[in-house]
Amino acid sequence: MAQQGVQRVGDQLRPRAPRLVRVAESVLTTLQGAGQMSAAAPGFVEVFDMVGVCERLAGLDLDDRWAPPHLPYAPRARPADEPWTPPPAVDAVRGEPARLYDDGVVAVLGLHRLEAAEEAVRAAPRRAQVTAVLVTGDPGELAPLAGLVVGDLCGCLRQAFPRRAWPRLRVVHDPSGAVAVAAGVPAVSDATEVAVRVRDGRIVARADGYGACHAAATA
């Protein structure tokens, strides 16, 4: 999720740039290692050296392609006509109420399937809202950790980039599973992947399993 957030910022700032997820992974890995080293051995890491390293990493051509092998085999979304009455929620990216009633895609994703959010972002029409609802089978331990990671990343994005460059994706933490229940997912785990298409305040299509985000976004 963190890598995809950075990549979407790159898409906004450089719309015709190639996919940047692998570059973002490299930059985040470098910064994470530098942060840990700074904590373990203060003064060992030269900040301006890290700035130069990240500048050069950003220009790497890692031949990053968008071609998930499972998408051609993913089942189509199933038509639906169900009420959509989600509870109030907060968008962790923007730090403001999440507009879950807007037309678009709502993806309920376990923490092992967060990468699938990129499928919805890439496949959904540009004006459609895309929301990733994060759920887990261990809300007592893993949900706070997920919130810490997302909050750390998004706090930096809000400070470093103009609002127009923030990721299109909205992220909602759902440790209680209330949003998932509203989307028709009564039980969740870290492997959950269910997506619904919302239009005019109703769920008009749903999909589950690998490829669900892509299927709902293209319904």
Side-chain angles (χ1 to χ4, degrees):
M1 179 71 71
Q3 294 95 325
Q4 289 150 14
V6 174
Q7 188 266 336
R8 294 312 299 174
V9 169
D11 276 0
Q12 294 291 332
L13 293 176
R14 297 161 55 200
R16 290 177 292 278
R19 185 174 184 259
L20 301 174
V21 169
R22 291 177 62 186
V23 169
E25 289 174 347
S26 300
V27 172
L28 288 173
T29 300
T30 300
L31 292 176
Q32 179 73 10
Q36 292 182 357
M37 183 61 74
S38 295
F44 182 82
V45 177
E46 170 54 56
V47 174
F48 290 101
D49 287 346
M50 284 294 95
V51 171
V53 168
C54 290
E55 286 178 344
R56 287 162 176 77
L57 284 175
L60 286 179
D61 181 3
L62 298 179
D63 194 29
D64 197 351
R65 301 179 184 276
W66 171 246
H70 61 272
L71 290 189
Y73 307 100
R76 296 172 63 89
R78 303 182 300 278
D81 185 13
E82 307 166 15
W84 172 234
T85 55
V90 174
D91 174 16
V93 176
R94 293 158 185 78
E96 61 189 28
R99 298 166 53 183
L100 296 180
Y101 283 96
D102 288 355
D103 291 357
V105 180
V106 176
V108 181
L109 300 173
L111 298 185
H112 294 171
R113 293 298 303 143
L114 299 186
E115 64 189 36
E118 186 176 1
E119 297 176 14
V121 172
R122 290 188 176 276
R126 178 160 293 277
R127 294 183 179 276
Q129 175 174 299
V130 180
T131 304
V133 179
L134 276 54
V135 296
T136 174
D138 188 358
E141 181 174 356
L142 297 184
L145 292 176
L148 180 64
V149 172
V150 174
D152 185 47
L153 172 69
C154 293
C156 294
L157 291 179
R158 289 195 292 268
Q159 295 179 50
F161 294 95
R163 190 179 181 92
R164 66 178 177 82
W166 292 358
R168 176 186 180 191
L169 179 69
R170 288 167 168 77
V171 177
V172 168
H173 297 288
D174 189 29
S176 69
V179 180
V181 169
V185 189
V188 298
S189 72
D190 291 309
T192 295
E193 183 176 345
V194 178
V196 297
R197 186 69 177 266
V198 175
R199 185 179 299 125
D200 298 328
R202 299 188 68 80
I203 295 174
V204 298
R206 64 169 55 251
D208 55 78
Y210 276 81
C213 291
H214 182 271
T218 55

